[in-house]
């Protein structure tokens, strides 16, 4: 088993009813905001919930905008989980799906900025003011965060650095919401490659939600955080400065984490070929220490050598539930199989309600 190296027309009453229903949606395929879900909102609340006060659009990097008033909740989308299994072992809800959108998972229509953007050629930008809010920027460069409670929202980051957005040790409260984080293929510092879209170098939680992420080698890299409603796709393999194919992962954690990592309701795609460093769509690796306290719930997962690496021996508190493993790249979702290094006997480890995109239940292989 391969092991990753570290690293008809409508009657008027019906039409009126339809318009009422449409008006309750926060956002749809066109990513437009309804009156009760304004572009300034940090989150898109469920129907009937009051909109949260948002960020000041005029706030800029390095300028104190105050700590954002709202903390987005990464709760699962209502009705999105697979539900109980039938006696045959196949989930009773959610039939076979041809694509993420068919099952209500994130895609390009439901992620990324919701407002027009203004170009900012920042290059490398160190953010050092607590409470900074960056909103409505089209950034050419990268953000290195040395501050607390920084929010990047309705923004696009096109990086040619080691990362798109990075949180430094000793700082907390970073949120990246409704944004696009991408890079320029062949223009990164690692022999032309770019390594991490959003990275967390510290021990506090980072929230990434409703984001469109692409091109990086390892996209979302952290041991603790809340990753929800994101569309991660088109990872870009490259030969690193060491002369080896850089391993690619849509989400990667190297273990040794002290907090919780929640990966919920994302589309996580790793199309990298096996000959070009494919690792996982979700990679929970014990490279830096024991893997613990990770929730992987209600995601669309596809690609990699194995689609999911489960933490290996010693891993505890790993919950993998209600995920759809897609066959869009490989018959087993991953090139070598669906799941590897799952520690079935670990305390608090739960495997339940996971299936292939054609409806077959998924049972993990034991850890090697």
């Amino acid at each position: 088993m391969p092991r990753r190296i570290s690293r008809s027309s409508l009657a008027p009453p019906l039409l009126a009813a339809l318009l009422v229903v449409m008006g309750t949606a926060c956002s749809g395929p066109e990513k437009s905001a309804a009156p009760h879900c304004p572009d300034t909102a940090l989150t898109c609340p469920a129907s009937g919930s009051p909109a949260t006060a948002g960020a000041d659009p005029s706030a800029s990097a390095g300028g104190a905008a105050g700590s954002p008033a709202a903390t987005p909740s990464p709760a699962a989308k209502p009705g999105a989980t697979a539900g109980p299994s039938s006696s045959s072992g196949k989930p009773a809800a959610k039939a076979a799906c041809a694509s993420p959108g068919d099952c209500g998972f994130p895609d390009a229509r439901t992620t990324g900025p919701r407002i027009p953007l203004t170009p900012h050629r920042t290059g490398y930008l160190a953010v050092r003011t607590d409470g900074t809010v960056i909103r409505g920027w089209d950034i050419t460069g990268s953000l290195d965060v040395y501050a607390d409670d920084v929010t990047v929202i309705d923004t696009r980051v096109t990086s040619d650095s080691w990362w798109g957005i990075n949180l430094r040790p000793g700082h907390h409260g970073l949120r990246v919401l409704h944004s696009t984080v991408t890079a320029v293929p062949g223009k990164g510092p690692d022999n032309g490659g770019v390594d991490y879209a959003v990275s967390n170098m510290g021990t506090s939680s980072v929230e990434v939600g409703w984001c469109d992420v692409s091109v990086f080698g390892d996209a979302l890299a952290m041991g603790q955080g809340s990753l929800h409603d994101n569309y991660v796709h088109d990872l870009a393999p490259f030969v690193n400065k060491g002369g080896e194919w850089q391993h690619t992962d849509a989400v990667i954690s190297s273990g040794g984490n002290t907090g919780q990592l929640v990966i919920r309701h994302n589309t996580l795609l790793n199309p990298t070929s096996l000959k070009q460093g494919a690792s996982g769509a979700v990679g929970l690796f014990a490279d830096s220490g024991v893997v613990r306290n990770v929730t992987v719930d209600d995601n669309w997962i596809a690609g990699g050598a194995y689609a999911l690496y489960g933490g290996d021996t010693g891993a505890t508190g790993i919950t993998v539930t209600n995920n759809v493993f897609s066959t869009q790249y490989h018959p087993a979702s991953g090139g070598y199989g669906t799941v590897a290094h799952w520690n079935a006997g670990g305390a608090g480890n739960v495997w339940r309600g996971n299936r292939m995109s054609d409806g077959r239940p998924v049972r993990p292989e034991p850890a090697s």
Side-chain angles (χ1 to χ4, degrees), residues 77-87 89-95 105 297-298 321-324 352-355:
K77 184 177 180 180
T81 55
S85 297
S86 68
S87 58
K90 182 182 294 187
K94 280 188 179 178
F105 289 99
D297 176 64
D298 188 34
T321 54
N322 306 319
N323 298 285
V324 178
R352 182 179 63 244
N354 302 296
R355 64 180 180 86

Side-chain angles (χ1 to χ4, degrees), residues 202-215:
T203 58
S204 68
S205 181
V206 167
E207 180 181 9
V208 184
W210 304 284
C211 289
D212 184 323
V213 180
S214 64
V215 178

Side-chain angles (χ1 to χ4, degrees), residues 43-358:
T43 64
C44 189
S47 176
S49 299
T52 304
D56 179 1
S58 65
S60 60
S67 297
T71 301
S73 170
K77 184 177 180 180
T81 55
S85 297
S86 68
S87 58
S88 64
K90 182 182 294 187
K94 280 188 179 178
C97 295
S99 69
D102 286 346
C103 263
F105 289 99
D107 58 18
R109 301 169 301 169
T110 60
T111 57
R114 304 164 295 175
I115 61 174
L117 306 179
T118 302
H120 289 265
R121 290 189 168 274
T122 65
Y124 169 85
L125 178 61
V127 181
R128 300 183 182 277
T129 302
D130 291 351
T132 294
V133 175
I134 297 174
R135 182 174 184 269
W137 287 25
D138 187 349
I139 294 172
T140 302
S142 61
L143 301 177
D144 200 3
V145 179
Y146 293 84
D148 298 336
D149 302 317
V150 171
T151 298
V152 180
I153 183 170
D154 290 314
T155 287
R156 177 184 177 93
V157 176
T158 304
S159 175
D160 59 1
S161 185
W162 295 97
W163 55 73
I165 304 170
N166 178 55
L167 180 66
R168 289 288 178 168
H171 296 284
H172 64 266
L174 174 64
R175 292 180 289 177
V176 184
L177 309 173
H178 297 287
S179 294
T180 294
V181 187
T182 189
V184 181
K187 298 296 184 180
D190 196 353
N191 199 29
V194 283
D195 291 288
Y196 308 110
V198 181
S199 98
N200 181 2
M201 297 177 67
T203 58
S204 68
S205 181
V206 167
E207 180 181 9
V208 184
W210 304 284
C211 289
D212 184 323
V213 180
S214 64
V215 178
F216 293 85
D218 286 316
L220 304 178
M222 60 193 70
Q224 41 272 317
S226 173
L227 312 178
H228 62 92
D229 302 285
N230 301 294
Y231 174 44
V232 182
H233 60 103
D234 294 309
L235 303 183
F238 60 92
V239 176
N240 60 27
K241 286 184 175 181
E244 299 177 335
W245 283 104
Q246 170 75 15
H247 289 281
T248 60
D249 300 89
V251 174
I252 182 171
S253 177
S254 61
N257 57 302
T258 58
Q260 295 274 344
L261 175 60
V262 178
I263 306 167
R264 176 169 285 133
H265 198 246
N266 304 278
T267 297
L268 305 173
L269 309 179
N270 186 351
T272 309
S273 77
L274 297 176
K275 295 180 180 180
Q276 293 181 302
S279 185
V282 177
L284 308 179
F285 302 109
D287 296 330
S288 300
V290 173
V291 180
R292 58 175 69 89
N293 303 329
V294 180
T295 296
V296 183
D297 176 64
D298 188 34
N299 300 281
W300 177 280
I301 299 171
Y306 285 87
L308 185 146
Y309 287 79
D312 216 335
T313 55
T316 60
I318 314 300
T319 301
V320 182
T321 54
N322 306 319
N323 298 285
V324 178
F325 289 87
S326 171
T327 61
Q328 65 193 92
Y329 304 126
H330 308 284
S333 193
Y336 296 122
T338 309
V339 185
H341 303 295
W342 172 251
N343 182 20
N349 292 350
V350 176
W351 183 278
R352 182 179 63 244
N354 302 296
R355 64 180 180 86
M356 301 297 292
S357 52
D358 59 10

